Amino acid sequence: NSKVIQTPRYLVKGQGQKAKMRCIPEKGHPVVFWYQQNKNNEFKFLINFQNQEVLQQIDMTEKRFSAECPSNSPCSLEIQSSEAGDSALYLCASSLSWGIGDTQYFGPGTRLLVL
Amino acid sequence: GDQVEQSPSALSLHEGTGSALRCNFTTTMRAVQWFRKNSRGSLINLFYLASGTKENGRLKSAFDSKERYSTLHIRDAQLEDSGTYFCAANTNTGKLTFGDGTVLTVKP
């Protein structure tokens, strides 16, 4: 169904540590989204890119996360200083376009545990 | 903010029966996606709709932007249909707003 690749599948960090995860979108998809899913199955949009450019991001992402989608390299999402509340499943999705035009395809996620 | 209200939160069906899941939207959405979370935790795409209805095997989905709802009908449920189903809706901004999910259990 989806060919989005996310690594690592699991990540364990201590509070205050950096936590970095990567995403390879489906081939030919220029738009990448990151979402956070908590233990209550609640999803939160974090940031999206079109090619290397940030389209939208929420406050939390702007202040505490570092994200990029460099040309010819995996996209990455990095928490600069992990907090216990960051423990969640981080999902990457890719699409042919942003807006309402196209299906978003999701990767399997990176499950982060902050001890 | 935009809200997606998904119901029911849990559903139990016997094999061979059917039912419907529903998502109501508090604002006008332009498109909806339905997913099933598989046993490995991955979100499997079921449908993308900008309007009307789509059918795929034993699943059928409808989306009415004006009336602010979408449905997912399952007929002739099989054991392998068990899992958590999510709807997610899209305004003009691209980002998806998800429902809280429906845990479907299909029993023999």
Side-chain angles (χ1 to χ4, degrees):
Chain A
N1 190 266
S2 169
K3 298 179 180 63
V4 175
I5 299 170
Q6 288 190 248
T7 56
R9 293 296 306 273
Y10 300 93
L11 195 53
V12 181
K13 293 291 178 182
Q15 294 193 52
Q17 289 187 316
K18 290 188 178 185
K20 189 169 187 174
M21 54 206 87
R22 293 176 176 82
C23 170
I24 300 175
E26 286 210 18
K27 192 173 180 181
H29 284 190
V31 182
V32 172
F33 299 81
W34 286 96
Y35 296 88
Q36 179 197 65
Q37 185 186 17
N38 67 20
K39 60 181 180 181
N40 296 321
N41 270 341
E42 296 162 336
F43 291 79
K44 181 189 291 183
F45 165 82
L46 296 176
I47 189 170
N48 62 346
F49 291 84
Q50 179 159 307
N51 296 312
Q52 292 82 54
E53 185 181 340
V54 174
L55 295 176
Q56 311 164 78
Q57 62 182 323
I58 63 172
D59 269 355
M60 178 181 81
T61 308
E62 193 168 1
K63 290 174 183 172
R64 299 183 51 241
F65 291 57
S66 173
E68 60 177 1
C69 271
S71 175
N72 299 318
S73 292
C75 296
S76 64
L77 181 71
E78 183 175 36
I79 306 173
Q80 296 300 301
S81 178
S82 300
E83 301 173 356
D86 295 328
S87 296
L89 181 67
Y90 289 83
L91 292 163
C92 174
S94 73
S95 177
L96 281 170
S97 67
W98 68 278
I100 66 166
D102 286 288
T103 304
Q104 292 183 29
Y105 293 90
F106 281 78
T110 293
R111 187 166 295 282
L112 172 66
L113 175 62
V114 181
L115 300 174
Chain B
D2 300 337
Q3 295 286 334
V4 176
E5 299 159 354
Q6 186 172 345
S7 62
S9 56
L11 179 62
S12 181
L13 295 176
H14 285 288
E15 270 187 300
T17 64
S19 188
L21 314 181
R22 184 177 176 104
C23 284
N24 292 324
F25 312 119
T26 59
T27 189
T28 300
M29 299 294 187
R30 300 300 184 187
V32 67
Q33 284 188 236
W34 283 92
F35 301 91
R36 181 174 66 85
K37 198 166 193 177
N38 68 10
S39 57
R40 299 184 66 184
S42 294
L43 285 174
I44 307 299
N45 277 297
L46 299 177
F47 293 103
Y48 172 92
L49 297 101
S51 65
T53 63
K54 285 187 179 178
E55 192 164 356
N56 184 3
R58 295 177 291 100
L59 299 178
K60 182 176 179 180
S61 183
F63 173 51
D64 190 325
S65 176
K66 185 178 177 184
E67 297 299 322
R68 299 185 180 179
Y69 76 91
S70 178
T71 56
L72 177 69
H73 292 259
I74 301 172
R75 63 175 175 83
D76 188 24
Q78 302 297 305
L79 294 176
E80 60 264 29
D81 294 332
S82 294
T84 304
Y85 291 75
F86 294 94
C87 67
N90 194 334
T91 58
N92 283 323
T93 64
K95 61 182 182 182
L96 292 174
T97 301
F98 283 78
D100 288 341
T102 297
V103 179
L104 173 64
T105 304
V106 181
K107 299 178 179 177

